[in-house]
Amino acid sequence: MRAGKHLAPILGDEDQMDVEFKNAVPSCSDSLFGFHRPNIFEAMKQTKTLKVRVKDKHAAELNRMARSVNFVWNYLNELSSRAIREKGLFLSAYDMHPYTKGAGKDLGLHSQTLQCIAAEYVARRKQFKKPRLNWRKSGGVRRSLGWIPVNTGAAKWKNGQVFHNGTYFKVWDSYGLSTYKFRAGSFNEDSRGRWYFNVAVEVDVQPTLGQGAVGIDLGLKDVATCSDGGRLENSRFYRRMEDQLATAQRARNKRRVKAIHAKIKNRRQDAQHKFSRKLVNQYGEIVVGDVSSTRLAKTRMAKSVYDAGWSQLKTTLEYKCAHAGIVFKVVRETNTTRACSSCGSLSGPQGVNGLRVRGWECVECGVLHDRDVNAARNILSLGAGRCPQEVGIPVL
């Protein structure tokens, strides 16, 4: 019997593994993927994700739906694991659809939500290259945060509320959702039990009037230093609230601990959003060094590196540049601190002890440099391809 002709039984049937899979991919086969290249007309539009908070009175209904989503995920996890173990086949999302068909009514989920769960499961299985993924837990201290995927057209704005699966969800609408056409999205729960509706919409590219380019050097004394001398001060949000966090943890006040972590996160995001918006409005090209927080997180500076939030800042700059239609580059920053931005000689401080030196004078040309501003200027030059190889900074 072919999977396309098979009428799916109720979830949990032990004989389902006897079905032949029409579109299943053997575990040792090679796959060919095609990529779509957008044309000039498609580039005039950008996809943007809007996030609005759902009012707390809907939490009980959303929690019930989230438990159903976890049940379907775990069922597909076991189904896929058995197919790989017994038949050596990696099931595609299309192969999984017959096994969940019709279960949406009993589980209280939209039929397209079941399809989204299967698609997401297959995508994560390919990403992590595992025959079985982690189970989604609906209870206990390791409970999975709620997640309810929504397919395109399964949710819409109706009567001033989000309408999905026959239910109206009231939200704090800070974007004017009535002006957008919803695409795919999801309901998501945070660590404090608050629910949010995230939806992708299509917006027009709004080019900024910014001119020129700026280089950015990421660091710990200042989170970001620009080639024009501007800085994003390292406010050390985590360090400042570390004592309050320790007090709450010793008291085993989990609610207070979650609130403090959320406050730290929100403060850091607010500072980075204001800084990135200012740069995007002012410049037409932004170049950032490729400092790796992952490697530095394995050192004694781990807490300070995570508190700085470099990765989040780069992500924020990248998507804001894309929406504004300006250039964003990440370049290799090797020797940018040592090299003189005026003559190119490698006469600057180096090594761990050199981190203490915040200003230095070039022995070749005699120019006085601020350590971070000099590095930012070199990063800007690398982004423009103006640094010759003989001065010590390799051309990318």
Side-chain angles (χ1 to χ4, degrees):
M1 184 182 297
R2 293 293 182 184
K5 301 178 181 179
H6 176 62
L7 297 177
I10 301 175
L11 297 183
D13 193 339
E14 295 294 334
D15 296 330
Q16 291 181 356
M17 296 307 301
D18 295 332
V19 179
E20 296 181 10
F21 305 105
K22 183 176 180 180
N23 291 338
V25 181
S27 57
C28 59
S29 65
D30 295 327
S31 302
L32 180 64
F33 298 91
F35 296 90
H36 171 66
R37 187 174 184 177
N39 56 38
I40 188 172
F41 298 103
E42 293 176 337
M44 300 299 292
K45 294 283 187 179
Q46 288 287 346
T47 300
K48 186 176 182 179
T49 302
L50 305 181
K51 179 181 180 180
V52 294
R53 185 179 167 187
V54 182
K55 295 194 174 182
D56 293 337
K57 68 177 183 179
H58 302 293
E61 173 64 16
L62 291 170
N63 286 331
R64 183 198 61 77
M65 295 172 65
R67 288 192 294 268
S68 297
V69 169
N70 293 346
F71 175 77
V72 176
W73 176 278
N74 294 336
Y75 169 75
L76 295 177
N77 197 16
E78 178 63 21
L79 179 67
S80 175
S81 177
R82 287 188 59 189
I84 297 172
R85 183 174 66 252
E86 298 177 9
K87 296 181 178 293
L89 300 176
F90 286 92
L91 302 184
S92 66
Y94 179 81
D95 294 317
M96 294 180 177
H97 291 166
Y99 298 96
T100 58
K101 184 178 180 181
K105 184 176 181 180
D106 295 331
L107 296 174
L109 297 176
H110 196 282
S111 59
Q112 294 183 11
T113 296
L114 303 178
Q115 300 175 9
C116 291
I117 298 172
E120 182 70 14
Y121 176 83
V122 172
R124 298 288 79 79
R125 188 188 63 195
K126 290 181 179 178
Q127 175 185 357
F128 298 109
K129 300 178 181 178
K130 292 183 178 180
R132 171 181 285 181
L133 301 180
N134 292 334
W135 305 105
R136 289 191 61 84
K137 303 175 181 62
S138 299
V141 294
R142 298 293 182 180
R143 182 180 69 89
S144 303
L145 295 180
W147 166 67
I148 306 168
V150 178
N151 205 357
T152 303
K156 59 182 178 180
W157 187 256
K158 188 176 180 181
N159 297 331
Q161 302 170 74
V162 176
F163 181 75
H164 170 67
N165 196 30
T167 305
Y168 289 92
F169 297 95
K170 290 186 177 181
V171 300
W172 277 278
D173 182 15
S174 56
Y175 295 101
L177 295 178
S178 59
T179 60
Y180 297 99
K181 183 179 180 181
F182 293 173
R183 299 175 66 179
S186 63
F187 290 93
N188 297 87
E189 181 189 16
D190 68 3
S191 60
R192 291 189 287 178
R194 298 178 177 181
W195 282 89
Y196 296 86
F197 177 60
N198 302 279
V199 62
V201 298
E202 199 172 62
V203 297
D204 295 327
V205 176
Q206 298 178 354
T208 65
L209 301 178
Q211 299 293 329
V214 65
I216 300 176
D217 176 61
L218 302 177
L220 294 178
K221 184 177 183 296
D222 294 300
V223 175
T225 303
C226 300
S227 55
D228 61 358
R231 299 175 187 271
L232 173 59
E233 180 185 356
N234 189 352
S235 299
R236 294 174 173 80
F237 299 108
Y238 180 82
R239 296 280 189 180
R240 288 184 176 183
M241 302 196 71
E242 200 169 13
D243 292 339
Q244 299 180 35
L245 185 61
T247 301
Q249 289 174 336
R250 285 194 296 268
R252 297 188 178 182
N253 189 342
K254 295 183 179 180
R255 186 173 182 179
R256 179 59 181 159
V257 170
K258 292 178 181 179
I260 292 175
H261 277 297
K263 191 171 186 177
I264 295 171
K265 174 186 174 183
N266 292 337
R267 285 181 173 180
R268 186 184 297 117
Q269 282 185 342
D270 179 68
Q272 293 184 354
H273 275 300
K274 291 177 179 177
F275 177 75
S276 59
R277 174 50 56 190
K278 180 180 178 181
L279 292 181
V280 170
N281 290 341
Q282 186 175 355
Y283 295 99
E285 180 179 353
I286 298 177
V287 186
V288 185
D290 65 343
V291 60
S292 175
S293 57
T294 303
R295 287 181 295 179
L296 288 175
K298 299 177 182 179
T299 66
R300 291 180 298 176
M301 299 183 292
K303 190 179 292 186
S304 298
V305 169
Y306 284 130
D307 198 11
W310 294 334
S311 178
Q312 180 180 332
L313 178 59
K314 287 194 287 187
T315 301
T316 304
L317 284 170
E318 184 176 9
Y319 82 76
K320 286 188 177 181
C321 288
H323 290 161
I326 66 177
V327 178
F328 176 80
K329 294 180 181 178
V330 177
V331 299
R332 186 181 178 189
E333 60 173 19
T334 304
N335 290 333
T336 54
T337 300
R338 295 182 57 204
C340 173
S341 57
S342 298
C343 67
S345 63
L346 296 178
S347 57
Q350 59 180 324
V352 177
N353 293 329
L355 294 174
R356 304 175 183 176
V357 181
R358 308 313 304 175
W360 55 280
E361 179 180 356
C362 178
V363 297
E364 297 292 337
C365 62
V367 176
L368 293 174
H369 291 295
D370 178 275
R371 175 194 183 94
D372 297 331
V373 174
N374 175 72
R377 289 173 179 170
N378 285 329
I379 289 173
L380 176 60
S381 298
L382 281 171
R386 292 197 299 264
C387 286
Q389 192 168 3
E390 56 265 24
V391 300
I393 302 179
V395 178
L396 300 183

